[in-house]
Each structure stands twice: as C-alpha cells, then as structure tokens.
Amino acid sequence: MTEDRLAKIVSLCRRRGFVFGGSEIYGGLSSIWDYGPLGAKLKKRIKDIWWDTYVEKREDIVGLDSSIIMHEGVFKASGHLEGFSDLLVDCPKCKKRFRLDKLEKIDKNTYECADCKEEIDIQKNKPRQFNLMLKTNMSATEDEPYYGYLRPETAQGIFVNFGNVLDATHKKLPLGIAQIGKAFRNEVTTGSFIFRMKEFEQMEIEYFVNPKNADKFYKEWVNERLKFYVDKIGIKKENLRLREHKKEELAHYAKACTDIEFKFPFGWSELEGVANRGDFDLREHTRVSKKDLSFFDDETKEKITPFVIEPSAGVDRTFFAVISDAFYEEEVKGKIRTVLKLKPELAPYRVAILPLLKNKPELVEFAKSIFCDIKDKLPCLYNDTGAIGKLYRRQDEIGTPFCVTVDVQSLDDKKVTIRDRDTMQQDRIDASRILEFIRNKKKLFRTAGG
Ligand code: GAP
C-alpha cells in the first residue's frame, strides 16, 4: 500500500460524503474531522455491531454512558495530569515541531528532522513536555475560573462508576462495563487522515476479574477482539496482526498489553490495545477519592480489588481500517472501477433501486413501489439522477452490495435486473423475489480472509 492509495481513499471519503474536514469553511482545524451522511451511517453500524456483540448478547457485560467532562481529581488519580505528555522538539531550520519518539535517531544527542532532514541537536534544542489533556473553564465568571477536563479515554468514566454499577446491578465477577463515547487528546503528531485526531471516539470494555484469573481473561480478550474484526467487521485476516508490548513500552498503569495492528495505507499501526491494567485504577481512585472501590466476593468470602482487562478500540480507526480494507481498484474494459467491498451489514445502503428512464411515469412509479417495499426491511436507496453506468459507478464507490434496475420490459413481465457489486454479475428475477435473492446470496459474500 502506498501514499497514493491513502490520497485516493481520502478523496473518495470526501467526494462521496464519508468524511469532511472539521470547520472547513473557516479554513479547518488540524486533526479535527466531521463525518458526512454516509460516514455517519457506516460509523453507527460499527458501533451498533460492537454494542450488540458485547452489551446485548452477553450476560457478563453491562453498558454505561458517562459524561465527557470530568473532575480534576479523576485525572490526578489516573496519572493523566502528571504523566500524560509527549516529549516535543523544534527543528531549528524549518521550525516545525515533532514528537521526539517519532524522529529518526542519528546518535545519542542528534535526531533527523522528519521534514527538512536537518540534524537536530537536542542539547541545543531541548525537548519539552506537552500535556495532552484538554481542559475547559466551568465557572460563570472569567476571574474565578474552575476547570473540568475532557476525558482522554472513556475508561475513567467506567472506573469512577464501578461502585455505582455494582450497587445497582448486584453483579458478580467477572463483570464487564462497556462504553462508547468521545475522548479528547491535544495530539501533536497530526496527519494520516482520521488515524490520530484531537477529538475521537472509543469503544472500551473494562472487564473486572478476580486477580488470580487475570492472565487467562487477558489472553481470551486478545483472541476475542481479533476474531471480532474478522468475523463481525469483515476485515481480512492478513491485514491484521498482534504485537505484544515490551516491558519498557508499557503505559504506567499496565501489567501487559497487546496491540491489534492493522495494515493501514501508511503501514502497520495500532487499531486497538488490549491491556491488563491490574488493580491500578481502582486502587488509585480509592486512594484519591477516599471511597472504597473494593469488591466483596460472597463465594470466597474475600475482599479484593479486582484486576481489569481492557479491550480498548477506536471507532475512527476501525472506520479507517474498514474503508482501507474494502477499497479496490479493478480494471474493467480498459477503465478503472473503484469499489468498496464492504461487508454487507456495514454498507450505508444494502440495495439501490435505479430506474432506467426517469421520464416514463409508469416506470418511475413501479421503481418507487419496489423501493417502498424494501426500505422498511433493508437500508435502501432510490436514485434516478443519471445514466445507468454512472449510477453503478457511484454505488460501487459507496459499497452498495446490490443494484436493482427497472426497465421498460419490467412493466410487462414484473422482472428486474439485479447486479452484484463484487462479481458485477447481473440476474433477471421477479421483482417480488428481490429480498429472498439478497438473503440467499449473502453466503456468497466475501468473508474475511477470502
Ligand atoms: N483506555 C486505554 C486507552 O485509551 P490507547 O491505546 O491510548 O488506550 C485506545 O487508546 C484506542 O483508542 C487506540 O487503539 C485507538 O484505536 C484509539 N485512539 C487513541 N488515540 C487516538 C487518537 N488520537 N485518534 C484516534 N483514535 C485514537
């Protein structure tokens, strides 16, 4: 995969209304992105699948929707106010600012500027720490400010509610608390589209376990989450890999961590982290808030501070991975066809109804009646705004698995042509059999790895 491929993906996302630059008409904001009509649908599908898999289908996991703005004490306890920072250095020649850990090291005191290739001597250009937390003034008056913090991970909302959830649900261990929501980080390394944003969304589970079972559950979650991307999201197996963190790489709270990496257009990078956070968070919140967050196990009659296994996924990175994985350019009759081979369940529309002539009222009426029948059962689109070749191209680009064309002959025989996005095969079938045809075909779709 190349940078050229990245540029093509970004262009498609913009052109077709998946992703736009944030505040674009005012010149934009770095690392802030908006999701357009189709992007909003695809993003919601990803979140719905995750929520359904873990919150609706499992008895050991409950959902939560905690606030974004949190008390300063939360981040004193979590370590984010002190430790959540990047070491940054300025290039003396081009004046650009970089994260030191992302620069090529030449020797002990010299790094290479990623932009102009100047040698940066860090004894002369001392790197400085920048905290990634975003804070907001919550006071009514400017002269007496008091600050709340925008959470940098949804996890902290889960930890501070652990006691509330136990009291309300009377659940036993192992117990997962799952949450989808926005998180904010004043990231310095920008670029790479929606890979690293200042405002992004996470899907996190904090899975509270008896410490003696932590290793077992950690391994189970790594496998479960890898399988999720393949089976539920449809990402090809060969574009995913696991990378276990070395001791020196581990975050201050983690006992172990494995990244699930995806082969993004710019190379292999983290899609999700699965960590064993030990009892760090519950202990620290107990210490700082003075509220006991331990758990009394009725069966073993012991009081424990549970360990936490945390599968932490990014919604935006999953979105990016899904689009990159599904993006194909194929040569058809000497022309390039761009197609998103999305898993059908994720596609913004499952089927498009396309009348061949829009100035023939009976034909339009018949096509619209088909559209009305289907739209309550499957996400369906009606489009008569162009020639059929152009309409097919548009649907290929947004990943619509089936296109149904209604032509003059359809008025007589009540048959339509149904075209498969991936094979481009066309079948003539009874209009009344469209849903049955799609359901039967589903098994023929590209599954992950194939
Ligand atoms: N609670 C643990 C935690 O937040 P993390 O590795 O910093 O761990 C977890 O983040 C996931 O959140 C990442 O794997 C990534 O998918 C997503 N993520 C983190 N920072 C991000 C950013 N600046 N932009 C987009 N996604 C981000």
Side-chain angles (χ1 to χ4, degrees), residues 144-421:
E144 285 175 3
Y146 87 90
Y147 294 104
Y149 287 80
L150 307 192
R151 63 186 181 197
E153 55 175 6
T154 64
Q156 295 306 323
I158 298 179
F159 297 130
V160 301
N161 278 295
F162 177 63
N164 291 338
V165 172
L166 278 185
D167 289 347
T169 62
H170 306 288
K171 291 267 188 190
K172 306 251 177 300
L173 298 188
L175 167 65
I177 305 181
Q179 162 152 255
I180 299 178
K182 292 263 183 174
F184 300 80
R185 295 181 192 178
N186 200 0
E187 298 280 7
V188 190
T189 313
T190 54
S192 306
F193 195 33
I194 54 174
F195 182 80
R196 200 177 301 285
M197 302 153 87
K198 294 193 182 206
E199 174 180 342
F200 57 99
E201 224 171 336
Q202 291 185 313
M203 305 179 281
E204 296 198 297
I205 298 170
E206 304 306 320
Y207 198 73
F208 299 89
V209 302
N210 190 310
K212 64 177 190 267
N213 301 325
D215 264 357
K216 174 182 89 118
F217 283 119
Y218 167 63
K219 288 183 188 121
E220 273 182 28
W221 272 109
V222 171
N223 292 332
E224 161 55 32
R225 292 298 301 147
L226 185 63
K227 200 165 164 308
F228 172 89
Y229 286 110
V230 178
D231 295 349
K232 297 277 172 91
I233 300 292
I235 293 180
K236 292 193 280 297
K237 223 177 195 162
E238 62 266 29
N239 285 339
L240 292 163
R241 71 178 186 194
L242 298 177
R243 189 183 72 81
E244 196 164 1
H245 284 209
K246 298 193 191 90
K247 279 267 170 303
E248 59 274 19
E249 271 184 275
L250 290 173
H252 61 281
Y253 52 75
K255 290 195 173 311
C257 185
T258 298
D259 283 348
I260 299 176
E261 294 191 331
F262 175 76
K263 200 174 180 190
F264 286 97
F266 45 80
W268 287 97
S269 256
E270 177 187 340
L271 174 61
E272 162 162 354
V274 183
N276 175 354
R277 291 179 78 126
D279 59 4
F280 175 86
D281 303 275
L282 292 182
R283 268 193 198 288
E284 283 305 293
H285 284 302
T286 299
R287 184 179 67 79
V288 177
S289 71
K290 315 261 184 296
K291 301 278 183 312
D292 183 12
L293 295 176
S294 60
F295 173 86
F296 185 75
D297 191 331
D298 276 337
E299 275 161 32
T300 59
K301 303 283 177 233
E302 50 172 357
K303 194 172 157 186
I304 52 167
T305 302
F307 271 28
V308 177
I309 309 304
E310 176 192 64
S312 172
V315 178
D316 312 271
R317 280 194 200 169
T318 307
F319 182 102
F320 192 1
V322 162
I323 297 244
S324 311
D325 188 73
F327 180 90
Y328 284 80
E329 285 184 317
E330 297 169 352
E331 204 182 309
V332 180
K333 294 185 191 148
K335 284 195 180 153
I336 297 294
R337 170 176 101 110
T338 303
V339 52
L340 280 190
K341 297 188 180 177
L342 296 171
K343 191 168 163 62
E345 291 85 339
L346 287 178
Y349 298 104
R350 199 78 63 86
V351 51
I353 312 295
L354 315 170
L356 223 48
L357 298 170
K358 71 166 173 182
N359 48 11
K360 203 167 170 52
E362 318 89 275
L363 200 146
V364 168
E365 198 187 321
F366 185 46
K368 283 199 172 154
S369 73
I370 295 174
F371 169 66
C372 287
D373 278 352
I374 295 180
K375 77 175 168 34
D376 288 341
K377 293 158 193 114
L378 285 178
C380 181
L381 168 94
Y382 175 88
N383 192 346
D384 61 9
T385 59
I388 193 66
K390 200 166 151 199
L391 294 181
Y392 279 157
R393 268 202 305 285
R394 216 182 277 169
Q395 295 309 315
D396 284 347
E397 278 200 336
I398 67 170
T400 308
F402 294 102
C403 286
V404 169
T405 51
V406 183
D407 54 30
V408 179
Q409 207 190 323
S410 307
L411 293 174
D412 288 336
D413 62 9
K414 304 287 179 248
K415 286 182 191 275
V416 292
T417 303
I418 188 160
R419 172 187 180 268
D420 182 312
R421 174 196 70 195

